[in-house]
């Protein structure tokens, strides 16, 4: 039986025991994300949110970069928990990176000067809605996710 939107929201959780398997194929994950990129609302319909979906070697390479970067910033004597956490993320099926196309946000701010000060906040809000929508949609498909915030 297909889950309802509300039950998917209710059942959505951070999954910490990540594996490299998925109940749905990569192309379905990408199609779902592409649909939500178009359908999740944004102020003035600016659609400045962007997503990069990484699988296989690109996924592994990304987490290798994160590991190297954090190794340079976290003291060696305190690195073991960081390493374990990054390894747990790297063990996953894929990675979704979210960001804002600042050029679009800046163009809208320029085109609508009365609201210029709001566009960065609105872009952040739209990106948050997109993340929530994708996370919930993946839950609905039976794919657990873990939302992390790194710069």
């Amino acid at each position: 039986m297909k889950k309802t939107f509300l039950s998917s929201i209710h059942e959505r959780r951070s999954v910490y025991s990540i594996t490299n398997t998925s109940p749905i194929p990569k192309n379905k994950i990408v199609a779902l994300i592409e649909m939500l990129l178009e359908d999740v609302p944004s102020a003035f319909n600016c659609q400045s949110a962007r997503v990069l979906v990484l699988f296989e070697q690109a996924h592994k390479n990304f987490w290798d970069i994160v590991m190297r970067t954090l190794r340079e910033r976290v003291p060696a004597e305190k690195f073991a928990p960081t390493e374990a956490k990054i390894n747990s993320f790297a063990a996953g099926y894929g990675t979704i990176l979210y960001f804002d196309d600042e050029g679009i946000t800046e163009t809208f701010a320029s085109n609508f000067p009365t609201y210029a000060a709001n566009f960065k906040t609105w872009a952040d809000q739209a990106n948050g809605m997109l993340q929530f929508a994708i996370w919930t949609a993946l839950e609905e498909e039976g794919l657990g996710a873990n939302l992390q915030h790194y710069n």
Side-chain angles (χ1 to χ4, degrees), residues 95-109:
T95 297
I96 304 170
L97 302 173
Y98 299 90
F99 57 99
D100 181 59
D101 184 334
E102 293 176 350
I104 291 173
T105 303
E106 290 166 6
T107 297
F108 272 81

Side-chain angles (χ1 to χ4, degrees), residues 85-98:
K85 183 161 287 270
I86 299 306
N87 283 335
S88 76
F89 303 149
Y93 186 72
T95 297
I96 304 170
L97 302 173
Y98 299 90

Side-chain angles (χ1 to χ4, degrees), residues 22-97:
S22 173
I24 58 175
K26 287 178 261 196
N27 64 337
K28 185 168 184 178
I29 293 169
V30 170
L32 220 153
I33 291 169
E34 287 173 343
M35 179 196 71
L36 291 168
L37 271 165
E38 288 184 24
D39 293 344
V40 169
S42 60
F44 289 71
N45 197 33
C46 69
Q47 296 183 321
S48 62
R50 297 290 180 263
V51 173
L52 183 61
V53 183
L54 307 175
F55 295 111
E56 299 167 352
Q57 193 60 45
H59 163 77
K60 182 185 177 326
N61 291 346
F62 172 77
W63 289 107
D64 287 346
I65 291 167
V66 171
M67 186 75 79
R68 282 194 311 272
T69 302
L70 290 175
R71 195 177 298 279
E72 293 171 4
R73 295 182 177 159
V74 176
E77 65 277 5
K78 295 182 178 180
F79 192 70
T82 299
E83 183 174 35
K85 183 161 287 270
I86 299 306
N87 283 335
S88 76
F89 303 149
Y93 186 72
T95 297
I96 304 170
L97 302 173

Side-chain angles (χ1 to χ4, degrees), residues 109-121:
S110 189
N111 291 343
F112 299 95
T114 303
Y115 304 104
N118 298 316
F119 277 98
K120 175 66 175 126
T121 299

